[in-house]
Amino acid sequence: MCGIVGYTGPREAYPIIIKGLKRLEYRGYDSTGVALHNSDGLKIFKKKGKVAELEDAIIGKNLHATVGIGHTRWATHGEPSDRNAHPHRSAGGKLAMIHNGIIENYIQLKQELTNKGYIFTSETDTEVLLNFIEEIRKNNQCYLEEAVRVALKRVTGAYVILILDEDNPDTIIAARKGSPLVIGVAKGEHFLGSDASPMLEYTKEVVYVNDYELAIVKPDQLILKNLGNEKITPYVQKLDLELAAIEKGGYDHFMLKEIFEQPQTIYDCLRGRLDAEAGTITMSGIQQYTEQIVNANRIIMVACGTSWHAGLVAEYIFEELCRINVEVEYASEFRYRNPVINKGDVIIAISQSGETADTLVAIENAKQKGAIILGVVNVVGSSIARTSHGGAYTHAGPEIGVASTKAFTAQLAVLTMIALKIGYIKGTISEERYRHLLNELQQIPEKAAWTLKHSGKIKELAEKYKDARDFLYLGRGYNFPVALEGALKLKEISYLHAEGYPAAEMKHGPIALVEKTLPVVFVATRDAWHEKVISNMQEIKARKGKVVAVITEGDKTSEQLSDDVMIVPEADEIVAPMLSVVPLQLLAYYIGVAKGYDVDKPRNLAKSVTVE
Ligand code: F6R
C-alpha cells in the first residue's frame, strides 16, 4: 500500500512526481503529499484526499525544484488527514520522509523519543522512524546514510523510505524491506517509484532494490549498499513495458478497459506456451520443477482475495487432472499457523502484484522449511516472483483498476496449463482428453471476445438490480469459486452486501435470506453439476427470489427458470470459469457506475496490499 515517487536530476521534479503519483494511486489514495527542495528550502505540501486535490490546492506555490519526493497514502497508523499525510518533517526540520509499510515496534521507539523530549505532530509510525533517524544522526554525529542504517537495524516491520535532507539538496536516501522500490536510471538523473510506471517515458533501465538495501541517489550517481555498509553493484534491467499499457485508451475506467482486454491477455498468456496442434505446453519457469510437481504428495496454493479464488478453481482442476491432493490457503492464515510442510510439498503462490505482504511472508516461511515455491505472478521482477524458485508469469500487463479482473483469468490460464502439463506427464489424463483440453484452452480468447460482444444487456441488468440491498452468488464445482469472485467484485465496487456460496450449501443457512427482493446470481453454465444447479434455482424460485443466471448459450431450461440471464459460449467445464466470470465482472462494474462510485478507486481499498 501507499505509492512513493522520487526524482533527482536536471528536470522540474514536481510534474514528474505528480504524474507518477497519479499512476500509483491504485496503491492508496486517502491523502497525498510532496516534498521539494528549492530556493525556499525544503518545502512540504500535503493534504487529505486524492492526488488531483493536492494539485489544485497548491496552484500558485513555488513548486520549482529539481529534486523531490511524493506519496499517495493508504492509512495504517492514524486516520486519513492533512497531518497524517506524508511527507513528514523531522523535529529538527532538516529531513523530510515518505514511507510505505508498517514499523511494528514504533510504540517502543516513540516512547524512547518522547522520553528525550520529542513531540509528535502526527499519529504515524513514519514520523517516529524519521525522528529516530534524526536522533541517531545527532547523537552519533554521522552522515544521514549511516544514521538510516543504524536505525533500520532496530526496526521491525516493513518499509520503503525516501528521505530528503536540507543539507544535501540533490540527494535522496532510500531503503527497502518488504515493500517494493524501483530506481530508474538515466543520464544525469534518477527516478524512484513503488513500481516502474512513474518513470516509463524517461527510461527503460531500472534497478529493483532488494530487501535490506540502502540507496544513495544523486543525479549522476547511484550507490547501493547493504545494511552492513558493503557496496552492492546495481543490477540494471531493461523494462518491457510501454506507456500505452498504463493508460485508459478511450475507456471510462481502467476496470472496464481491463475486462475488455481479457481476450488479448489470455491470448498473451497462452502464446508461445500452448501449441494445441503439436500437443505441447512449454513453460520454462516450471520445466526444472516438473519432476517435483509430478511426485508431489501435496500442492498448497497460497494467495489472498481474487488470487485465492483462482487457487480454489485450480484446486478442482489439479485434483481432477493430476490426482494430487491440493490445499488452498489464505496466506494471512497460513503464515501465522504452524503449518505442516513436508519435504516434497510444492507451494504455488498466486499474486497479481507479486507484493502482497502475507503471500510473500507465507512463501518465505515455507521456503525455509524446504518446500519448492512456484510463483504465478503478474508483475515481472516483483518480490514474490523473485522469492519463488520457479513459476510462470501471467503476462496480463499492468492491472490498474483496484478490482482485479484480467489478472484472475490469466491466473486461471496459467494454472490450467500447469495442471494439464503435469497430468499428461503423470498419465492421469488420457491423450484424448489432454488434446481436447488443449484445444478448449486455445479457444478461450475467442470465446471471451464472444462473451464480451454479447454482454450488452448487462448494463440494463445493473440498472434493474442496483438498488437491491443484498445479493447471493451461487455456483457448484468449478463455478463455486467463480460465484465467490462475482460476490467479491460486487462488494468492492458497489459497496453492496454480496455473499458467495456453494449452491447446495445454501440450504444450510443463506436460504433464510431469500425473498422477492433478493437477487440470487447463479453461475449455471452447462457442466457435470448442471442438473443439480437447476434444482437449486428452482428452490430459489419457489421462495420468490429473483434468479439472475450466467448460462451457456442455448440453454433454454435455465433461461426459462431465470428472471434474467447473461450468456457465455459452450466450453469444457475445466476452462469455463475463464468465461463465466466475465459477465459477473461487468455486472459489478455497471452497478458500481450506476451508483455513481469511483470504480477504479473503491473506498478503503488499495491495489497492492503490502501490509499484513
Ligand atoms: C480483488 C482484489 C484483491 C486482490 C488481493 C491479492 O479484486 O484485487 O482481493 O486479489 O489483494 O492481491 P495480489 O493478487 O496482488 O496478491
Side-chain angles (χ1 to χ4, degrees):
M1 344 285 261
C2 302
I4 54 129
V5 186
Y7 175 77
T8 180
R11 302 177 206 243
E12 282 291 338
Y14 177 69
I16 295 171
I17 292 168
I18 281 291
K19 206 185 323 156
L21 288 178
K22 286 184 179 162
R23 291 188 188 151
L24 291 176
E25 261 190 320
Y26 71 86
R27 303 179 64 85
Y29 33 80
D30 60 47
S31 20
T32 315
V34 294
L36 301 168
H37 199 284
N38 62 22
S39 52
D40 296 341
L42 184 56
K43 301 302 282 182
I44 293 178
F45 305 97
K46 57 182 188 169
K47 196 176 176 339
K48 178 181 170 188
K50 294 184 177 152
V51 179
E53 292 170 54
L54 176 78
E55 211 181 355
D56 287 347
I58 60 177
I59 289 173
K61 306 264 186 210
N62 177 6
L63 302 170
H64 293 295
T66 54
V67 60
I69 54 178
H71 187 265
T72 173
R73 181 170 186 244
W74 186 88
T76 57
H77 293 64
E79 58 168 9
S81 67
D82 291 356
R83 68 194 185 94
N84 285 332
H86 301 209
H88 291 280
R89 191 187 282 275
S90 63
K94 294 274 187 191
L95 307 177
M97 183 169 103
I98 55 177
H99 167 218
N100 167 27
I102 289 181
I103 306 302
E104 284 167 3
N105 57 340
Y106 86 105
I107 293 179
Q108 188 194 337
L109 299 177
K110 191 171 186 173
Q111 193 55 54
E112 284 177 27
L113 292 168
T114 307
N115 294 346
K116 290 184 172 146
Y118 277 82
I119 293 169
F120 293 90
T121 58
S122 77
E123 298 149 85
T124 63
D125 50 346
T126 307
E127 193 188 5
V128 174
L129 175 58
L130 177 60
N131 282 325
F132 186 53
I133 292 169
E134 186 176 78
E135 174 66 13
I136 293 170
R137 180 159 83 155
K138 209 165 63 186
N139 272 347
N140 297 9
Q141 294 286 306
C142 60
Y143 289 118
L144 176 60
E145 169 205 330
E146 172 69 19
V148 170
R149 229 183 349 259
V150 173
L152 293 182
K153 286 188 188 156
R154 280 275 320 272
V155 155
T156 54
Y159 54 79
V160 161
I161 52 169
L162 302 192
I163 310 179
L164 280 186
D165 177 3
E166 195 153 57
D167 294 336
N168 260 309
D170 65 350
T171 306
I172 299 172
I173 302 277
R176 129 166 202 164
K177 184 199 152 200
S179 298
L181 174 61
V182 185
I183 301 180
V185 182
K187 199 162 183 285
E189 57 186 347
H190 286 102
F191 304 79
L192 298 97
S194 297
D195 68 27
S197 62
M199 54 201 79
L200 267 187
E201 54 266 73
Y202 311 105
T203 183
K204 286 275 160 64
E205 313 257 285
V206 295
V207 173
Y208 292 96
V209 177
N210 289 310
D211 279 351
Y212 303 107
E213 286 179 359
L214 184 139
I216 300 127
V217 191
K218 299 171 189 273
D220 50 9
Q221 198 181 25
L222 167 62
I223 301 171
L224 264 192
K225 291 185 174 179
N226 61 22
L227 293 188
N229 200 23
E230 290 159 341
K231 278 200 178 171
I232 297 161
T233 310
Y235 173 50
V236 182
Q237 300 187 38
K238 201 122 202 115
L239 257 188
D240 183 20
L241 182 62
E242 294 305 325
L243 201 54
I246 58 162
E247 288 176 343
K248 273 192 211 150
Y251 285 90
D252 288 342
H253 296 97
F254 281 112
M255 182 177 174
L256 190 62
K257 176 186 174 221
E258 287 157 8
I259 292 171
F260 272 84
E261 274 174 354
Q262 288 177 109
Q264 185 63 45
T265 50
I266 301 170
Y267 175 78
D268 289 344
C269 178
L270 303 176
R271 190 178 49 194
R273 292 168 163 170
L274 173 80
D275 185 338
E277 220 163 275
T280 56
I281 292 173
T282 317
M283 299 177 95
S284 53
I286 301 287
Q287 198 61 37
Q288 196 186 336
Y289 301 99
T290 37
E291 206 183 309
Q292 278 105 323
I293 314 175
V294 166
N295 295 317
N297 296 321
R298 192 168 61 142
I299 294 176
I300 306 170
M301 313 257 175
V302 287
C304 302
T306 290
S307 299
W308 184 77
H309 294 156
L312 285 182
V313 178
E315 175 182 23
Y316 284 74
I317 298 177
F318 272 81
E319 292 198 347
E320 172 67 25
L321 300 182
C322 311
R323 308 305 300 145
I324 300 175
N325 173 25
V326 177
E327 283 167 29
V328 188
E329 299 273 359
Y330 282 121
S332 54
E333 289 297 317
F334 185 73
R335 66 178 281 196
Y336 283 115
R337 286 208 325 261
N338 185 11
V340 178
I341 297 173
N342 299 312
K343 215 164 173 282
D345 282 346
V346 171
I347 309 270
I348 301 185
I350 310 166
S351 176
Q352 187 288 126
S353 62
E355 300 294 347
T356 301
D358 284 323
T359 310
L360 180 59
V361 178
I363 60 170
E364 282 168 352
N365 294 348
K367 200 173 176 182
Q368 274 178 5
K369 291 182 179 174
I372 301 284
I373 316 288
L374 302 176
V376 174
V377 174
N378 194 35
V379 178
V380 176
S382 56
S383 303
I384 293 173
R386 286 184 292 150
T387 305
S388 303
H389 293 109
Y393 283 116
T394 46
H395 296 315
E399 192 180 63
I400 294 167
V402 164
S404 191
T405 52
K406 63 177 180 173
F408 177 74
T409 45
Q411 287 164 349
L412 293 184
V414 166
L415 290 161
T416 309
M417 278 191 283
I418 301 175
L420 274 167
K421 189 171 176 68
I422 300 300
Y424 186 64
I425 296 172
K426 255 190 110 172
T428 41
I429 36 174
S430 66
E431 174 83 27
E432 194 191 347
R433 179 112 176 94
Y434 173 72
R435 291 271 180 174
H436 167 72
L437 285 171
L438 290 187
N439 273 315
E440 283 285 312
L441 196 49
Q442 195 164 47
Q443 287 172 39
I444 289 295
E446 206 181 303
K447 289 185 181 177
W450 187 99
T451 307
L452 288 162
K453 212 163 131 200
H454 291 77
S455 66
K457 242 189 79 188
I458 299 179
K459 205 169 172 177
E460 289 163 35
L461 295 190
E463 277 300 327
K464 181 168 169 188
Y465 291 107
K466 73 176 196 304
D467 296 318
R469 202 190 52 183
D470 305 292
F471 280 72
L472 199 55
Y473 281 69
L474 301 177
R476 297 177 86 127
Y478 301 99
N479 278 329
F480 157 54
V482 175
L484 295 181
E485 175 59 8
L488 178 66
K489 287 288 90 85
L490 190 72
K491 271 184 273 211
E492 288 178 291
I493 300 304
S494 313
Y495 315 149
L496 289 170
H497 171 240
E499 234 180 295
Y501 238 78
E505 183 67 19
M506 169 266 296
K507 282 201 278 293
H508 300 276
I511 198 164
L513 297 170
V514 178
E515 54 174 344
K516 64 177 186 305
T517 56
L518 182 83
V520 182
V521 181
F522 275 92
V523 194
T525 52
R526 234 186 251 125
D527 57 18
W529 295 263
H530 191 51
E531 279 179 19
K532 306 274 176 211
V533 174
I534 295 218
S535 306
N536 298 137
M537 281 167 139
Q538 259 150 352
E539 287 156 5
I540 298 294
K541 285 307 298 172
R543 287 159 184 83
K544 308 232 172 328
K546 293 272 172 295
V547 170
V548 184
V550 177
I551 64 166
T552 308
E553 187 197 10
D555 175 4
K556 292 286 169 228
T557 317
S558 301
E559 190 165 356
Q560 275 156 18
L561 259 178
S562 308
D563 293 271
D564 290 289
V565 292
M566 299 175 276
I567 298 168
V568 295
E570 184 88 50
D572 190 284
E573 61 193 24
I574 297 245
V575 296
M578 282 177 268
L579 303 173
S580 54
V581 75
V582 173
L584 302 183
Q585 295 168 340
L586 284 168
L587 184 65
Y589 170 79
Y590 285 122
I591 293 182
V593 171
K595 291 179 89 67
Y597 298 138
D598 185 351
V599 294
D600 278 340
K601 300 188 196 88
R603 70 181 177 209
N604 302 336
L605 290 173
K607 182 86 189 144
S608 187
V609 185
T610 53
V611 295
E612 61 174 276

